[in-house]
Amino acid sequence: VRRYFAQLTRGCGRPGCPNRHCRSSADASELDPTRAALLSLELAQCGDHALCDELPPFLSLPLLQQLCASASSGAPKSMHALEASLAEVFSSVEALSRSFVSSSAAREAEAAQLAVDPSELSGVDAGAVGEAYSLLFSSPPDSAGFTAADRLGNVVMRGAHALLRGRGAYKLLTEGNCPLQREGASLRWLLVLMANPLLLEPQHHKPVLLPLCSLIASLEEGAAAQVARWWSHWPEPALARIVVVLQQFLSVRLCHTQRIDDAVVAATKVLGLLYDANEAALAAGWRRGGRGSGGAGG
């Protein structure tokens, strides 16, 4: 009960916490001590615990900005803390699914703008994801031509490779009785990984982009349609960047293999989902421009 009370009144100290029962969350309610004590008792007696330190880790843009600011001070421990956080989150489906999540107020505002129900949105803050990648991968080089971005990029891609290389993620997505097929919110991590600009680089095609495309291409019809719907709500520039990544992958793959293999088929299926997303956005009036005019579906 004491731990819940501290969490409800002071928070876990990590800005952007996705746990609504934490004062550090944008969705947290302002509670007086009496209400906090009553809720603490209720949560402690509940079967599903909601203590932040017992939940998977996460990243948010404010938290990442805090970690990066600390790391830029030059303290080795601060850089190690940033690298450890990145490795922990990018190597875990559960952690990525809790990362860069929009607040309830932001989702409601976006839903009102799009004239859809908030439950139809992915909950991933596309702008925050883009800013996070820019923050990580845009540091200037030092005198030796090396950048912190190189180091952090390696950490992120190693984490993603570790997540994708085993059969764990494949089973989570393809088994018919799997919660990730039934619970759409748990597919969020696919959106976060697909938005990574480092996927443009050919050295990341085989270890990360190829298995990622294969996973998305293997989704059952309902889950694949949901991913397309989520993408239809994303800003056009974000989708266009993913299209460029896939087009480059196809060009490189076809140049090397000179044939249409499973990798080409998988990437083409993902492009098809992006095309469907763009068509849906155009039909709903969320995006301007004619069909095939060079946007995400062009």
Side-chain angles (χ1 to χ4, degrees), residues 239-259:
L239 291 192
R241 285 191 290 270
I242 301 175
V243 169
V244 170
V245 165
L246 293 170
Q247 289 175 336
Q248 173 154 312
F249 171 75
L250 287 170
S251 297
V252 172
R253 187 78 181 183
L254 288 169
C255 180
H256 282 282
T257 64
Q258 297 294 307
R259 64 188 178 88

Side-chain angles (χ1 to χ4, degrees), residues 115-150:
V116 299
D117 190 272
S119 64
E120 296 182 36
L121 303 177
S122 69
V124 177
D125 187 336
V129 172
E131 286 187 56
Y133 281 129
S134 295
L135 180 64
L136 290 171
F137 305 147
S138 61
S139 62
D142 59 19
S143 57
F146 185 78
T147 70
D150 297 324

